[in-house]
Amino acid sequence: MPDPERPEPAGFDPVGPRPKEAVSPTGQGGPMDLALDEAESVEGIEKTAGPGPAGPAERTRSLWSDAWHQLRRNPVFILSALVILFLVVISIWPQLIAGGDPLQCDLSKSQQGSAPGHPFGYDTQGCDVYTRTVYGARASITVGVCATLGAALLGATLGGVAGFFGGWGDSLVSRVADIFFGIPVVLGGLVFLSVVTSTTVWPVVGFIVLLGWPQIARIARGSVITAKQNDYVQAARALGAGNGRMLLRHVAPNAVAPVIVVATIALGTYVALEATLSFLGVGLRPPTVSWGIDISNAAPQIRNAPHMLLWPAAALSLTVLAFIMLGDAVRDALDPKLR
């Protein structure tokens, strides 16, 4: 027998090894079967371990990734994007689908209809309507894209800075924008472009930027005012972030979505505006090939040779419609209220 006065060494068991108990105390006065306890533990692990093979849990997506996820499943966006991609490609490389020269004309074929190799017929000067319609995309797309980029950059910069800082700068930008809003676009184009003698696209681009930036500036100003009131901007300010960092890192990325939507829709409007000014004779001028110029030349002969007006007008309408549809799809994807 062990000596009661002599301490036993640590880990000594006088009885010897005992079998593992089948029950374990619960701490509440009663036993619990270890098998049941282990089963509940395994079930808890399975619940917290994450998704099983049935399907992965959907990760939280940002605004842009969520918008792209929705756009890829929108047939309107896919169709309009394909049309715009085709127009951009033929505006850069028109010789891919049109092998002729848009300035090579034959008066003996004036106003003739469709012929082999010339599916759209000839215009008044005997030029191939198909070739001129293809090459006309270059001027219209160039004016639309450059004017949209210029108006978006100028308007977003002025409107964003004015909305963020406020004060007298905000009042000045708002009043100047109101002045430009009061100028009729077509009348302003007739006055401004009538004194320009250049035959390039840049005077038209400059005029559209001059009258197009106030709309985007107003959108950017309102979006920045809304974004700078959010909690994360106030937290960044409390942590000592400067105005430049808050504007570029926190406010601008969360306020740029409305500007993108408005600019995308405005691109189609600017293409139509260029054609309108060219039709009136103050926009693009020959020898530049433009849909507006061709529509203007074909208008007096619409009864005798309607094909001269039909094809450039159809190309212009399709281009404007594609950009407007693209803008509507982007707006629906970026606006959570419309989902």
Side-chain angles (χ1 to χ4, degrees), residues 52-209:
E58 189 163 344
R59 298 179 180 178
T60 302
R61 292 192 295 261
S62 64
L63 173 64
W64 301 104
S65 60
D66 191 29
W68 175 243
H69 179 77
Q70 182 176 353
L71 287 174
R72 288 183 302 174
R73 289 159 176 76
N74 190 345
V76 175
F77 171 78
I78 295 175
L79 179 61
S80 59
L82 290 176
V83 173
I84 293 173
L85 179 62
F86 172 75
L87 291 171
V88 171
V89 170
I90 66 171
S91 65
I92 300 175
W93 300 289
Q95 62 274 12
L96 293 177
I97 60 174
D101 185 357
L103 301 179
Q104 183 178 0
C105 306
D106 186 358
L107 284 175
S108 62
K109 300 179 180 179
S110 175
Q111 299 186 14
Q112 292 185 8
S114 177
H118 306 276
F120 294 174
Y122 299 88
D123 62 5
T124 305
Q125 301 296 324
C127 302
D128 184 19
V129 176
Y130 172 77
T131 304
R132 291 187 63 85
T133 301
V134 174
Y135 275 81
R138 173 178 294 176
S140 298
I141 297 297
T142 301
V143 170
V145 172
C146 293
T148 301
L149 291 177
L153 291 176
L154 181 61
T157 302
L158 294 178
V161 172
F164 184 80
F165 291 101
W168 64 269
D170 185 16
S171 300
L172 178 62
V173 172
S174 299
R175 299 295 77 80
V176 172
D178 291 339
I179 294 175
F180 281 97
F181 269 120
I183 301 177
V185 177
V186 177
L187 179 59
L190 290 173
V191 174
F192 179 80
L193 296 175
S194 60
V195 298
V196 177
T197 58
S198 175
T199 59
T200 63
V201 300
W202 304 117
V204 180
V205 171
F207 168 74
I208 296 177
V209 171

